[in-house]
Amino acid sequence: MTTYWPWWAGAAGLALATINYTLISDRSFGVSSAWDRVLHWRSERRLERMEEEFTDEQALTKALAAATAEHFGTATGTSTVPPVPSGQPRTLGTETEPTASERPAATSLRPAPLVTQAALLVSIFFGGFIAAVTSGRFHLRYDMGPGFKNLVTADPITMTALLFAGGVLVGFGTRLAGGCNSGHGLNGCGRLRPVSIVATAVFFSTAVAVSFLLWKVI
């Protein structure tokens, strides 16, 4: 592992990682949402504990019935279905309860467990570290390299301010767009979601334009 992977190997690796994550967890893969949930881990953990109380559908139905009875002052065992006269067959109304196959999967509607998203972020860090060490390219530095110095600035204070402002804008943009390049570009486009296709086209075209401006014009 002395050189970078070819583009097709990187694309195949990203595709396998995305497909496996979706098949195993039945959820979309995203880094910015994982950061957001891990940073707010107290509130996320409280929501997870609340969801764990209602994982059983029968228990949830009983809890809703009890809460409705307490609020409206009706008996918990009272049926809301009108009685059918004797001798007439009971018919199902139009508002029948959907079957299990018609209901959306509950796991796909909830975000991934908090511990798995924390493990994702830690794995990204250690994966990059292991790849850099094994390839012999690991070097601890506090700037963006000579290319950034030549194109933008070599002053350390200005460089730190620009990197901080850029990080804030990236974080704001990804949450405003509802996802980052991994969420929209890998999962969203793979599932043919229109909003993800538009978002991916916008941030890739913007990156191409900025790169051309920096390297060819300035």
Side-chain angles (χ1 to χ4, degrees):
M1 191 173 175
T2 57
T3 58
Y4 290 109
W5 284 9
W7 65 268
W8 56 267
L14 289 174
L16 288 176
T18 304
I19 293 173
N20 287 332
Y21 187 90
T22 303
L23 292 177
I24 293 173
S25 64
D26 194 25
R27 296 173 176 89
S28 296
F29 173 87
V31 178
S32 64
S33 58
W35 271 113
D36 181 69
R37 296 192 66 220
V38 170
L39 289 177
H40 300 87
W41 64 271
R42 289 186 178 87
S43 58
E44 292 293 334
R45 189 68 190 97
R46 184 168 59 251
L47 291 175
E48 285 186 350
R49 285 195 295 266
M50 293 173 61
E51 289 181 352
E52 290 172 357
E53 297 178 358
F54 300 106
T55 52
D56 187 359
E57 187 174 354
Q58 292 183 354
L60 177 60
T61 302
K62 291 180 180 179
L64 291 176
T68 303
E70 181 181 358
H71 181 76
F72 292 102
T74 58
T76 56
T78 303
S79 175
T80 58
V81 180
V84 178
S86 177
Q88 295 184 7
R90 180 182 293 272
T91 58
L92 294 177
T94 57
E95 297 181 356
T96 58
E97 184 179 358
T99 61
S101 59
E102 296 175 348
R103 299 192 193 100
T107 55
S108 61
L109 299 178
R110 295 195 298 266
L114 188 61
V115 64
T116 62
Q117 297 199 319
L120 169 67
L121 299 178
V122 174
S123 301
I124 291 175
F125 173 80
F126 280 104
F129 176 76
I130 294 172
V133 170
T134 54
S135 64
R137 292 194 301 267
F138 177 76
H139 177 66
L140 186 62
R141 62 187 316 151
Y142 301 96
D143 54 40
M144 295 293 291
F148 187 88
K149 291 181 178 179
N150 296 332
L151 289 173
V152 185
T153 178
D155 182 68
I157 298 178
T158 306
M159 180 182 298
T160 302
L162 288 176
L163 292 176
F164 179 81
V168 171
L169 291 176
V170 168
F172 177 79
T174 53
R175 300 318 302 150
L176 181 65
C180 57
N181 53 353
S182 62
H184 283 308
L186 294 178
N187 281 277
C189 290
R191 297 184 177 188
L192 299 179
R193 293 177 178 173
V195 64
S196 296
I197 295 176
V198 172
T200 304
V202 169
F203 61 66
F204 265 111
S205 60
T206 304
V208 171
V210 172
S211 299
F212 178 81
L213 177 65
L214 291 177
W215 292 99
K216 300 298 183 180
V217 178
I218 298 180

